[in-house]
């Protein structure tokens, strides 16, 4: 269970667009240069974000990408799932059965219970985080995220 490059870079692109004050939005070359990513990869990620309803493209020579909704309305958990899916989902067990056709633990698997608990915990926490919570500088966002975590642990 890992955060994929697509999820990391997709979230960074979403934040870059959210932080931009350019009315016409940010172009793929501008995002590419700012994030140190290839234009092709930025194009792929902006397409995913656009089709998922997080950003809109503005046409024309000076066009670019803008948020499709206010940052407070963009749930980080849902955005990450649009970019790559859950850390753990039920199909995982079907995809990694080992050397046999069906996992030897498919009926009784305490490890699956662990992964499901981790996914539930991650979902509960990330469901409380919006894009707006991440727009601030790292230290300020860090304090906010820590308070969200502390509330979640109560």
């Amino acid at each position: 269970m890992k955060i994929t490059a697509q999820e990391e870079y997709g979230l960074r692109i979403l934040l870059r667009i959210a932080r931009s004050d350019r009315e016409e939005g940010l172009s793929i070359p501008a995002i590419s240069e700012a994030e140190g990513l290839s234009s092709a990869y930025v194009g792929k990620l902006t397409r995913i974000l656009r089709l998922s309803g997080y950003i809109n493209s503005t046409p024309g020579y000076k066009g670019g990408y803008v948020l499709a909704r206010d940052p407070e309305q963009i749930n980080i958990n849902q955005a990450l799932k649009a970019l790559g899916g859950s850390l753990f989902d039920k199909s995982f067990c079907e995809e990694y059965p080992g050397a046999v056709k069906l996992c030897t633990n498919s009926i009784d698997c305490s490890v699956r219970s662990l992964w499901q608990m981790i996914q539930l915990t991650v979902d509960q926490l990330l469901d409380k985080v919006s894009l707006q919570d991440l727009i601030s500088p790292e230290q300020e966002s860090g304090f906010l995220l820590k308070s969200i975590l502390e509330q979640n642990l109560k």
Side-chain angles (χ1 to χ4, degrees):
M1 295 187 336
K2 295 180 179 181
I3 303 296
T4 66
Q6 184 165 300
E7 293 160 340
E8 166 72 15
Y9 295 137
L11 186 56
R12 283 175 33 185
I13 288 169
L14 197 55
L15 273 167
R16 175 79 51 190
I17 292 168
R19 289 175 175 150
S20 173
D21 57 359
R22 297 177 66 190
E23 205 171 295
E24 69 275 4
L26 290 176
S27 66
I28 287 177
I31 296 168
S32 176
E33 183 179 331
E35 291 297 330
L37 302 170
S38 73
S39 290
Y41 195 40
V42 170
K44 174 187 173 181
L45 295 174
T46 52
R47 181 176 190 277
I48 292 169
L49 291 168
R50 185 179 50 79
L51 292 175
S52 299
Y54 294 106
I55 60 175
N56 289 326
S57 58
T58 57
Y61 172 71
K62 291 189 175 191
Y65 291 94
V66 295
L67 289 182
R69 315 178 230 170
D70 290 332
E72 308 85 36
Q73 297 175 330
I74 297 178
N75 177 279
I76 294 301
N77 195 26
Q78 296 306 313
L80 287 172
K81 286 182 179 179
L83 288 161
S86 300
L87 292 173
F88 175 81
D89 66 34
K90 293 178 174 113
S91 67
F92 180 85
C93 296
E94 296 166 11
E95 294 174 19
Y96 300 98
V100 293
K101 190 174 186 176
L102 189 62
C103 179
T104 57
N105 298 303
S106 63
I107 305 284
D108 181 22
C109 182
S110 56
V111 174
R112 178 176 46 226
S113 297
L114 173 65
W115 300 146
Q116 288 172 331
M117 181 187 71
I118 290 170
Q119 183 63 56
L120 177 67
T121 304
V122 168
D123 283 342
Q124 287 175 340
L125 184 61
L126 290 179
D127 276 339
K128 295 178 181 173
V129 180
S130 73
L131 186 62
Q132 181 65 46
D133 298 329
L134 301 178
I135 289 177
S136 302
E138 184 178 3
Q139 187 173 13
E140 191 176 321
S141 290
F143 287 129
L144 179 61
L145 294 173
K146 185 178 178 185
S147 73
I148 291 171
L149 177 61
E150 288 169 351
Q151 289 173 350
N152 200 51
L153 293 175
K154 291 180 182 178

